[in-house]
Amino acid sequence: MNTQNTEAVIRNEREWVRVLAKYRDPVLSRSITEIIVTLVPLFSLWGAGIWLAVNVPWLALPVSAVAGLFLVRAFILQHDCGHGALLPNRRLQDMLGRAIGVLTVTPYAVWRQTHAVHHSAAGHLDKRGMGDVTTLTVEEYRARGLWGRLAYRAYRHPLFMFGLAPALLFLFQNRIPLGLEKERRFWLSAMGTNLSIAVLLTVFWLIGGWAAILLVWLPSIVVGATVGVWLFYIQHQFEETCWDDTADWDLHHAALHGSSHYIMPNWMAWMVGYIGIHHVHHLYSRIPFYRLPEVLRDHPALGEAQKLTISESFACARRHLWDVKSRRLLTFREYAALLRNEVAMA
């Protein structure tokens, strides 16, 4: 059956899951190649950055910024390890995920658990709170007092969300298993990662002193964290995303329709591990990241779903409130207009 006929008989998200199952197996040679072309440039850029920090400090920052982009790609490797999508051997995959977690300052077991919760409850209004960006409905925001509304506005403001929050999340919040404090294995993951980060920073310091840490390691982490937070935000915080309560929520529907398809130039898509094809990833998370473009080539209908260009995505940073009635993510200005209309109709 050709592609057009195949897509003609696909009627719902569950049928898409069956179609996508054939893409789930990693190609070992490709996985190893992706690991090499990510980690070798990262370490090379760190090495060059350290030399520059000691000898030509003003050139260290741009090199560190590029290293930060490769940290995003390293995070995608860790991400696929967590989904069991990168290597056929689960034990080796988890070992790799833990090691990369030191580079991305993200405890592997802790992140894997919170991310699993995110996948299992994305778009579920009654299961918000772990592994996602806090999003209030219009009714919830209206029910808050003045200080509660101001706190939410401050949290959702771009200067905090994409300015302070990434550094706070990766440098500080990740140091403890927030939300998972009762289980010993998550403390071991967090503390083991923290200890390993201390060792890594000691290596940086021994090679290049404090300049290596302040001009190379820290800027690369902040750049990587900021890009990562932006990508995670834009993947679910767009105007016609999908949120439902328990009665109406469906896992596969929320996965496909509540995740964006972020259109980027080829080099940028490669750099972020094709995570912009997020609707396909959520629908079948076991697909290795490098096979996601293959899915779109074989099934053009998926390529047309939830398309979001870079220029369109900037407007999403102003959308903060889910309106259950219109099924849209509203800006605060649209919310104010909604209130005025209600007063006029009263």
Side-chain angles (χ1 to χ4, degrees), residues 145-181:
L146 174 62
W147 291 111
R149 292 196 295 272
L150 288 175
Y152 183 69
R153 280 178 174 266
Y155 166 76
R156 298 283 302 207
H157 195 283
L159 288 178
F160 177 78
M161 185 66 66
F162 312 115
L164 292 175
L168 292 174
L169 171 62
F170 281 85
L171 291 173
F172 298 101
Q173 184 174 315
N174 278 355
R175 307 285 62 80
I176 59 173
L178 194 63
L180 302 170
E181 299 93 341

Side-chain angles (χ1 to χ4, degrees), residues 45-115:
L45 287 164
W46 268 350
I50 292 173
W51 185 89
L52 289 169
V54 174
N55 297 282
V56 195
W58 65 273
L59 283 178
L61 286 177
V63 172
S64 302
V66 179
L69 297 180
F70 277 93
L71 275 174
V72 175
R73 206 163 201 280
F75 192 93
I76 297 301
L77 296 177
Q78 177 183 350
H79 170 269
D80 268 28
C81 287
H83 282 295
L86 190 64
L87 298 172
N89 186 302
R90 187 62 194 242
R91 184 174 182 180
L92 288 176
Q93 190 164 232
D94 287 341
M95 290 174 62
L96 177 63
R98 293 188 190 97
I100 295 177
V102 177
L103 307 179
T104 63
V105 295
T106 305
Y108 177 65
V110 177
W111 173 84
R112 183 175 58 183
Q113 177 62 25
T114 59
H115 193 64

